[in-house]
Amino acid sequence: PEWASLNLGALMCIECSGLHRNLGAHISRVRSLTLDSWPAINLSVMAAIGNYTANKVWEANFHNQTRSESKSSREDKEKFIRAKYEQKLFLAPLPDTKISLSTQLVKAIIQNDLLHFFHVLAHCTPDDINKRYKPNDHRTALHLSCAVSNPVMAQLLIWNNIDTTLLDNGGYTAYDYARAANSNDCVEVLVSNDSSQESTTAKTLYLTKDLQVTSNREKDRHYSSVV
């Protein structure tokens, strides 16, 4: 394969890359392995997911249906690809329907469970992705992915249209969280996506044990600044 879908983390042939482009970049962000530039974060996402994990999520409910093959017609390939990624016909349901998608997304981030994160993300709408963690806790999934220094999850959230300008209860952005966690990789992700808004450039920021950001050094003494 000489082509890839960045946000799906999968490699593909040139014919399938054209069909993926027809889906739109909101579903599949297609790049050439040889013609396009590949920043480190793109390589990290591909290495973290890959075709096996991608298919484990997107074809979990495929069962005994007819799979599109290399010898299949273009029409059959397009029908299969649209069924898989646009209509999400083979996507397995989430095991716990009583917990909101936004909460499940955050829990997967805290637990560093990329497979579950990727599965939940596939079910999410932009509204789900941009929901606050709790009514009294305005952190988003992006705040927390930066707090735990996970640039792959942060990048996937950005590609799935999370609002990078949202503030937590203290008025801090995801960029502030990346700084407080000393996560240069997350900072680089945000900067490269023009998402480097920061609320307090003149202050040194600290990360508390419960993954909150503070500029108060005295308060921070009661917590660990290491996630």
Side-chain angles (χ1 to χ4, degrees), residues 7-20:
N7 58 306
L8 298 176
L11 298 175
M12 65 193 68
C13 67
I14 187 170
E15 183 177 17
C16 288
S17 73
L19 298 175
H20 271 252

Side-chain angles (χ1 to χ4, degrees), residues 6 13 34 36 44 54-55 66 69 74 90 98-99 101 107 110 119 121 131 143 161 171 183 201-203 209-210 212:
L6 296 180
C13 67
T34 57
D36 292 313
S44 296
N55 287 333
T66 303
E69 300 177 346
R74 182 178 177 86
F90 316 131
K98 295 181 180 179
I99 302 177
L101 291 174
K107 287 188 174 182
I110 299 302
H119 186 191
L121 194 61
K131 281 184 180 177
H143 284 98
N161 299 313
S183 178
T201 55
K203 295 181 180 179
K209 189 176 181 180
D210 59 352
Q212 300 278 1

Side-chain angles (χ1 to χ4, degrees), residues 1-5 8 10-24 28-31 51 59 67-82 84-85:
E2 294 186 356
W3 294 81
S5 172
L8 298 176
L11 298 175
M12 65 193 68
C13 67
I14 187 170
E15 183 177 17
C16 288
S17 73
L19 298 175
H20 271 252
R21 284 190 188 278
N22 290 342
L23 297 174
S28 184
R29 294 172 175 262
V30 179
R31 295 291 186 275
N51 288 50
E59 294 184 7
R67 181 187 300 276
S68 174
E69 300 177 346
S70 58
K71 62 183 180 181
S72 300
S73 68
R74 182 178 177 86
E75 291 74 18
D76 285 343
K77 289 178 181 177
E78 181 167 17
K79 182 178 179 181
F80 174 77
I81 287 172
R82 288 192 179 278
K84 182 176 177 179
Y85 297 112

Side-chain angles (χ1 to χ4, degrees), residues 161-206:
N161 299 313
I162 198 165
D163 186 346
T164 61
T165 66
L166 294 177
L167 306 177
D168 72 356
N169 299 69
Y172 294 108
T173 65
Y175 184 80
D176 292 319
Y177 274 70
R179 286 177 54 213
N182 295 316
S183 178
N184 293 331
D185 289 338
C186 285
V187 167
E188 185 176 342
V189 165
L190 292 165
V191 170
S192 65
N193 286 276
D194 295 323
S195 307
S196 57
Q197 298 89 348
E198 55 187 335
S199 58
T200 52
T201 55
K203 295 181 180 179
T204 299
L205 301 177
Y206 305 93

Side-chain angles (χ1 to χ4, degrees), residues 45-117:
V45 170
M46 295 298 299
I49 302 175
N51 288 50
Y52 176 79
T53 298
N55 287 333
K56 193 172 182 179
V57 169
W58 288 99
E59 294 184 7
N61 270 357
F62 189 73
H63 303 310
N64 296 321
Q65 301 180 60
T66 303
R67 181 187 300 276
S68 174
E69 300 177 346
S70 58
K71 62 183 180 181
S72 300
S73 68
R74 182 178 177 86
E75 291 74 18
D76 285 343
K77 289 178 181 177
E78 181 167 17
K79 182 178 179 181
F80 174 77
I81 287 172
R82 288 192 179 278
K84 182 176 177 179
Y85 297 112
E86 190 174 57
Q87 302 169 42
K88 303 182 180 182
L89 295 184
F90 316 131
L91 190 63
L94 292 168
D96 194 341
T97 58
K98 295 181 180 179
I99 302 177
S100 69
L101 291 174
S102 57
T103 299
Q104 291 189 59
L105 202 60
V106 166
K107 287 188 174 182
I109 291 169
I110 299 302
Q111 295 168 2
N112 194 30
D113 188 342
L114 180 64
L115 179 60
H116 188 55
F117 172 86

